[in-house]
Amino acid sequence: MMLRIRSRDGLERVKVDNPRATVSQLKELIQTQLQIPTHNQTLSINQNLLLAKTPTDLLQFTDMSNPNTPISALNLSHGSIVFLSYEGERQVRGGPAVSPAGSFGRKMTMDDLIAKQMRVGRQENPHCESVSFDRDCANVFQHYVNDTLAFAVKRGGFMYGIVTDDGKVEVNFIYEPPQQGSGDELLLLRDPGEEKIVEAIAMAMGMRRVGFIFTQTIMQQDKKDYTMSNREVLQAAELHAESELKEWVTALVKLEVNEDGGADVHFEAFQMSDICVRLFKEGWFQTEIDKGSDPKLSKMKKEVVVGVKDVKEVDNDFFLVLVKILDHQGPLSSTFPVENRITQVTMRALKTHLDRAKNLPFVKRISDFHLLLFLARFLDLNADIPALVECVQTQSTLPEGYQLLIQSMANAA
């Protein structure tokens, strides 16, 4: 199986042939494949490990401190993420190779120099023709960040929908993972178990993850002279690279001053350029961002060529490819409370939702992604949820047994 290793250098992969491997054996594999000595490694499935600043902070992460613990006991499986903190420096795998030159080795020709240059320029055309948002799901997202969060803290979500044969992206629902937002940072506290359920629901509907949406705060707007900050570019590039979808879309939502001096909610959509995604995959980005750094510039570990200059700081706008935004009315409603927000979703919410829509056919009442995600916590993911989703997708009558089951769950609130 393959485990994803997230460190200050970004996201890397480690192949684990033995599913019964222990933490100690995983560390040895990391040492072999990523060139990080075992004694320098601290591992955890808690991503807050990456926020640790001192050795004392690292001691708080004990879930993988026992070298004899089998990784299977930690619920790690193919594709799971393990967080890694390590001491020292290293050459990131996949980074630019450096070979001797001049009097210390083979003389480099002009062709060699050109081949080693990483050129950064503007990409004129995106890989997707346009992105169309389901009006209800877009409104529910912007309504929350505007009315409840007042654009004071950042918020994000994964967009799900379809990619048409002619490269158009349609977004039909937005899943909001566990997260922690501040005025200028968004930390996704991703839950692999919940994401597995989301993926199963989407797949049963013939949909897939097609992009990432996030907000910019009032604090950012007040002092901003950039489209996306360096932190936002890093996060967007990482998620784009992880998706391996060429039509992947990154959308941002912000407040914009209108002609009357008021503020309107504004959506923008981009693709991260091919060179941006490549730079991220090959480890060129500086992933440690100092507080005093200019947010409109992304720092590189090595010089790149922009125009005719060799630079280690690149204007973020070079990495953005504008995508046209449309809207449509998708197949799902978005009236059930959204997961992982300030107010916890309970059975009482299910009862309220069903009562409010009691004049609609039962299949219409459950045609809501957020409701299906809630039900998936209590029903069988392999049998019940596919059956419900099939009825939703075809808008066919829900079997009476399921109607009674869901209604009884609601009445028990």
mmCIF file of all heavy atoms in Angstrom, residues 30-54:
data_model
loop_
_atom_site.group_PDB
_atom_site.id
_atom_site.type_symbol
_atom_site.label_atom_id
_atom_site.label_comp_id
_atom_site.label_asym_id
_atom_site.label_seq_id
_atom_site.Cartn_x
_atom_site.Cartn_y
_atom_site.Cartn_z
ATOM 1 N N ILE A 30 10.682 5.304 5.707
ATOM 2 C CA ILE A 30 10.823 6.751 5.477
ATOM 3 C C ILE A 30 12.293 7.110 5.333
ATOM 4 O O ILE A 30 12.669 7.926 4.483
ATOM 5 C CB ILE A 30 10.152 7.540 6.620
ATOM 6 C CG1 ILE A 30 8.636 7.353 6.562
ATOM 7 C CG2 ILE A 30 10.513 9.026 6.546
ATOM 8 C CD1 ILE A 30 7.884 7.967 7.735
ATOM 9 N N GLN A 31 13.126 6.494 6.151
ATOM 10 C CA GLN A 31 14.565 6.755 6.056
ATOM 11 C C GLN A 31 15.103 6.321 4.691
ATOM 12 O O GLN A 31 15.879 7.049 4.048
ATOM 13 C CB GLN A 31 15.318 6.003 7.161
ATOM 14 C CG GLN A 31 16.841 6.126 7.059
ATOM 15 C CD GLN A 31 17.550 5.479 8.232
ATOM 16 O OE1 GLN A 31 17.821 6.104 9.218
ATOM 17 N NE2 GLN A 31 17.835 4.169 8.114
ATOM 18 N N THR A 32 14.655 5.165 4.226
ATOM 19 C CA THR A 32 15.142 4.634 2.945
ATOM 20 C C THR A 32 14.616 5.431 1.755
ATOM 21 O O THR A 32 15.368 5.768 0.835
ATOM 22 C CB THR A 32 14.713 3.160 2.801
ATOM 23 O OG1 THR A 32 15.256 2.409 3.888
ATOM 24 C CG2 THR A 32 15.213 2.583 1.487
ATOM 25 N N GLN A 33 13.312 5.747 1.785
ATOM 26 C CA GLN A 33 12.683 6.364 0.619
ATOM 27 C C GLN A 33 12.733 7.885 0.613
ATOM 28 O O GLN A 33 12.726 8.505 -0.458
ATOM 29 C CB GLN A 33 11.228 5.893 0.516
ATOM 30 C CG GLN A 33 11.097 4.386 0.320
ATOM 31 C CD GLN A 33 9.655 3.913 0.256
ATOM 32 O OE1 GLN A 33 8.777 4.585 -0.281
ATOM 33 N NE2 GLN A 33 9.385 2.742 0.826
ATOM 34 N N LEU A 34 12.797 8.504 1.789
ATOM 35 C CA LEU A 34 12.793 9.965 1.865
ATOM 36 C C LEU A 34 14.082 10.543 2.441
ATOM 37 O O LEU A 34 14.200 11.765 2.583
ATOM 38 C CB LEU A 34 11.598 10.458 2.694
ATOM 39 C CG LEU A 34 10.198 10.021 2.233
ATOM 40 C CD1 LEU A 34 9.132 10.679 3.082
ATOM 41 C CD2 LEU A 34 9.987 10.352 0.759
ATOM 42 N N GLN A 35 15.021 9.662 2.805
ATOM 43 C CA GLN A 35 16.330 10.083 3.300
ATOM 44 C C GLN A 35 16.246 10.934 4.571
ATOM 45 O O GLN A 35 16.944 11.946 4.722
ATOM 46 C CB GLN A 35 17.117 10.859 2.224
ATOM 47 C CG GLN A 35 17.547 10.019 1.033
ATOM 48 C CD GLN A 35 16.410 9.758 0.063
ATOM 49 O OE1 GLN A 35 15.762 10.694 -0.384
ATOM 50 N NE2 GLN A 35 16.165 8.493 -0.260
ATOM 51 N N ILE A 36 15.394 10.525 5.497
ATOM 52 C CA ILE A 36 15.311 11.188 6.807
ATOM 53 C C ILE A 36 15.664 10.149 7.871
ATOM 54 O O ILE A 36 14.949 9.153 8.025
ATOM 55 C CB ILE A 36 13.899 11.736 7.063
ATOM 56 C CG1 ILE A 36 13.503 12.736 5.976
ATOM 57 C CG2 ILE A 36 13.828 12.406 8.434
ATOM 58 C CD1 ILE A 36 12.069 13.207 6.078
ATOM 59 N N PRO A 37 16.753 10.330 8.614
ATOM 60 C CA PRO A 37 17.168 9.347 9.619
ATOM 61 C C PRO A 37 16.063 9.063 10.626
ATOM 62 O O PRO A 37 15.319 9.979 11.027
ATOM 63 C CB PRO A 37 18.375 10.028 10.294
ATOM 64 C CG PRO A 37 18.892 10.982 9.267
ATOM 65 C CD PRO A 37 17.687 11.475 8.529
ATOM 66 N N THR A 38 15.939 7.824 11.020
ATOM 67 C CA THR A 38 14.846 7.428 11.926
ATOM 68 C C THR A 38 14.888 8.190 13.237
ATOM 69 O O THR A 38 13.848 8.552 13.791
ATOM 70 C CB THR A 38 14.909 5.911 12.215
ATOM 71 O OG1 THR A 38 16.203 5.600 12.755
ATOM 72 C CG2 THR A 38 14.703 5.104 10.956
ATOM 73 N N HIS A 39 16.103 8.455 13.756
ATOM 74 C CA HIS A 39 16.196 9.114 15.061
ATOM 75 C C HIS A 39 15.793 10.587 14.996
ATOM 76 O O HIS A 39 15.598 11.226 16.036
ATOM 77 C CB HIS A 39 17.613 8.985 15.633
ATOM 78 C CG HIS A 39 18.677 9.604 14.771
ATOM 79 N ND1 HIS A 39 19.305 8.905 13.751
ATOM 80 C CD2 HIS A 39 19.207 10.852 14.761
ATOM 81 C CE1 HIS A 39 20.180 9.706 13.164
ATOM 82 N NE2 HIS A 39 20.143 10.891 13.756
ATOM 83 N N ASN A 40 15.652 11.126 13.795
ATOM 84 C CA ASN A 40 15.217 12.517 13.641
ATOM 85 C C ASN A 40 13.714 12.646 13.439
ATOM 86 O O ASN A 40 13.191 13.757 13.364
ATOM 87 C CB ASN A 40 15.924 13.170 12.441
ATOM 88 C CG ASN A 40 17.384 13.458 12.723
ATOM 89 O OD1 ASN A 40 17.818 13.371 13.859
ATOM 90 N ND2 ASN A 40 18.143 13.800 11.692
ATOM 91 N N GLN A 41 13.010 11.513 13.327
ATOM 92 C CA GLN A 41 11.594 11.534 12.953
ATOM 93 C C GLN A 41 10.663 11.550 14.169
ATOM 94 O O GLN A 41 10.890 10.849 15.148
ATOM 95 C CB GLN A 41 11.235 10.301 12.116
ATOM 96 C CG GLN A 41 12.015 10.125 10.829
ATOM 97 C CD GLN A 41 11.669 8.809 10.153
ATOM 98 O OE1 GLN A 41 10.573 8.257 10.336
ATOM 99 N NE2 GLN A 41 12.604 8.279 9.376
ATOM 100 N N THR A 42 9.608 12.367 14.082
ATOM 101 C CA THR A 42 8.460 12.276 14.985
ATOM 102 C C THR A 42 7.234 12.117 14.097
ATOM 103 O O THR A 42 6.989 12.942 13.216
ATOM 104 C CB THR A 42 8.303 13.541 15.854
ATOM 105 O OG1 THR A 42 9.479 13.720 16.642
ATOM 106 C CG2 THR A 42 7.099 13.405 16.783
ATOM 107 N N LEU A 43 6.471 11.042 14.320
ATOM 108 C CA LEU A 43 5.306 10.739 13.484
ATOM 109 C C LEU A 43 4.024 10.875 14.301
ATOM 110 O O LEU A 43 4.009 10.647 15.514
ATOM 111 C CB LEU A 43 5.388 9.322 12.922
ATOM 112 C CG LEU A 43 6.608 8.968 12.052
ATOM 113 C CD1 LEU A 43 6.523 7.517 11.614
ATOM 114 C CD2 LEU A 43 6.690 9.887 10.848
ATOM 115 N N SER A 44 2.949 11.210 13.612
ATOM 116 C CA SER A 44 1.635 11.286 14.258
ATOM 117 C C SER A 44 0.562 11.296 13.179
ATOM 118 O O SER A 44 0.815 11.696 12.039
ATOM 119 C CB SER A 44 1.520 12.540 15.125
ATOM 120 O OG SER A 44 0.222 12.641 15.696
ATOM 121 N N ILE A 45 -0.647 10.872 13.552
ATOM 122 C CA ILE A 45 -1.779 11.025 12.642
ATOM 123 C C ILE A 45 -2.523 12.321 12.955
ATOM 124 O O ILE A 45 -3.543 12.616 12.344
ATOM 125 C CB ILE A 45 -2.746 9.817 12.717
ATOM 126 C CG1 ILE A 45 -3.250 9.598 14.140
ATOM 127 C CG2 ILE A 45 -2.080 8.566 12.199
ATOM 128 C CD1 ILE A 45 -4.280 8.484 14.259
ATOM 129 N N ASN A 46 -1.996 13.086 13.892
ATOM 130 C CA ASN A 46 -2.551 14.397 14.258
ATOM 131 C C ASN A 46 -1.782 15.478 13.519
ATOM 132 O O ASN A 46 -0.586 15.676 13.752
ATOM 133 C CB ASN A 46 -2.437 14.597 15.769
ATOM 134 C CG ASN A 46 -3.077 15.895 16.242
ATOM 135 O OD1 ASN A 46 -3.361 16.788 15.444
ATOM 136 N ND2 ASN A 46 -3.287 16.008 17.542
ATOM 137 N N GLN A 47 -2.467 16.208 12.629
ATOM 138 C CA GLN A 47 -1.760 17.179 11.806
ATOM 139 C C GLN A 47 -1.242 18.384 12.602
ATOM 140 O O GLN A 47 -0.419 19.151 12.115
ATOM 141 C CB GLN A 47 -2.625 17.659 10.661
ATOM 142 C CG GLN A 47 -3.826 18.487 11.042
ATOM 143 C CD GLN A 47 -4.561 18.959 9.794
ATOM 144 O OE1 GLN A 47 -4.179 18.664 8.673
ATOM 145 N NE2 GLN A 47 -5.639 19.687 9.990
ATOM 146 N N ASN A 48 -1.701 18.541 13.846
ATOM 147 C CA ASN A 48 -1.167 19.624 14.669
ATOM 148 C C ASN A 48 0.312 19.430 14.974
ATOM 149 O O ASN A 48 0.982 20.362 15.444
ATOM 150 C CB ASN A 48 -1.952 19.734 15.982
ATOM 151 C CG ASN A 48 -3.351 20.289 15.767
ATOM 152 O OD1 ASN A 48 -3.567 21.081 14.857
ATOM 153 N ND2 ASN A 48 -4.297 19.863 16.580
ATOM 154 N N LEU A 49 0.818 18.236 14.682
ATOM 155 C CA LEU A 49 2.256 17.987 14.819
ATOM 156 C C LEU A 49 3.053 19.007 14.014
ATOM 157 O O LEU A 49 4.142 19.437 14.436
ATOM 158 C CB LEU A 49 2.586 16.561 14.340
ATOM 159 C CG LEU A 49 4.074 16.188 14.267
ATOM 160 C CD1 LEU A 49 4.658 16.070 15.664
ATOM 161 C CD2 LEU A 49 4.262 14.873 13.509
ATOM 162 N N LEU A 50 2.537 19.404 12.865
ATOM 163 C CA LEU A 50 3.267 20.330 11.990
ATOM 164 C C LEU A 50 3.334 21.734 12.578
ATOM 165 O O LEU A 50 4.097 22.573 12.093
ATOM 166 C CB LEU A 50 2.620 20.376 10.612
ATOM 167 C CG LEU A 50 2.559 19.030 9.860
ATOM 168 C CD1 LEU A 50 1.997 19.237 8.474
ATOM 169 C CD2 LEU A 50 3.928 18.381 9.786
ATOM 170 N N LEU A 51 2.541 21.991 13.628
ATOM 171 C CA LEU A 51 2.565 23.301 14.268
ATOM 172 C C LEU A 51 3.520 23.335 15.455
ATOM 173 O O LEU A 51 3.742 24.396 16.046
ATOM 174 C CB LEU A 51 1.155 23.678 14.747
ATOM 175 C CG LEU A 51 0.065 23.727 13.662
ATOM 176 C CD1 LEU A 51 -1.280 24.059 14.296
ATOM 177 C CD2 LEU A 51 0.417 24.741 12.594
ATOM 178 N N ALA A 52 4.080 22.167 15.823
ATOM 179 C CA ALA A 52 4.995 22.104 16.964
ATOM 180 C C ALA A 52 6.264 22.907 16.681
ATOM 181 O O ALA A 52 6.852 22.802 15.603
ATOM 182 C CB ALA A 52 5.342 20.653 17.279
ATOM 183 N N LYS A 53 6.682 23.698 17.667
ATOM 184 C CA LYS A 53 7.841 24.566 17.484
ATOM 185 C C LYS A 53 9.064 24.120 18.274
ATOM 186 O O LYS A 53 10.198 24.441 17.922
ATOM 187 C CB LYS A 53 7.482 26.006 17.908
ATOM 188 C CG LYS A 53 6.305 26.611 17.157
ATOM 189 C CD LYS A 53 6.602 26.767 15.671
ATOM 190 C CE LYS A 53 5.447 27.455 14.950
ATOM 191 N NZ LYS A 53 5.661 27.519 13.491
ATOM 192 N N THR A 54 8.863 23.397 19.369
ATOM 193 C CA THR A 54 9.977 23.021 20.246
ATOM 194 C C THR A 54 9.967 21.520 20.504
ATOM 195 O O THR A 54 8.949 20.849 20.293
ATOM 196 C CB THR A 54 9.868 23.745 21.598
ATOM 197 O OG1 THR A 54 8.692 23.254 22.291
ATOM 198 C CG2 THR A 54 9.750 25.254 21.405
#
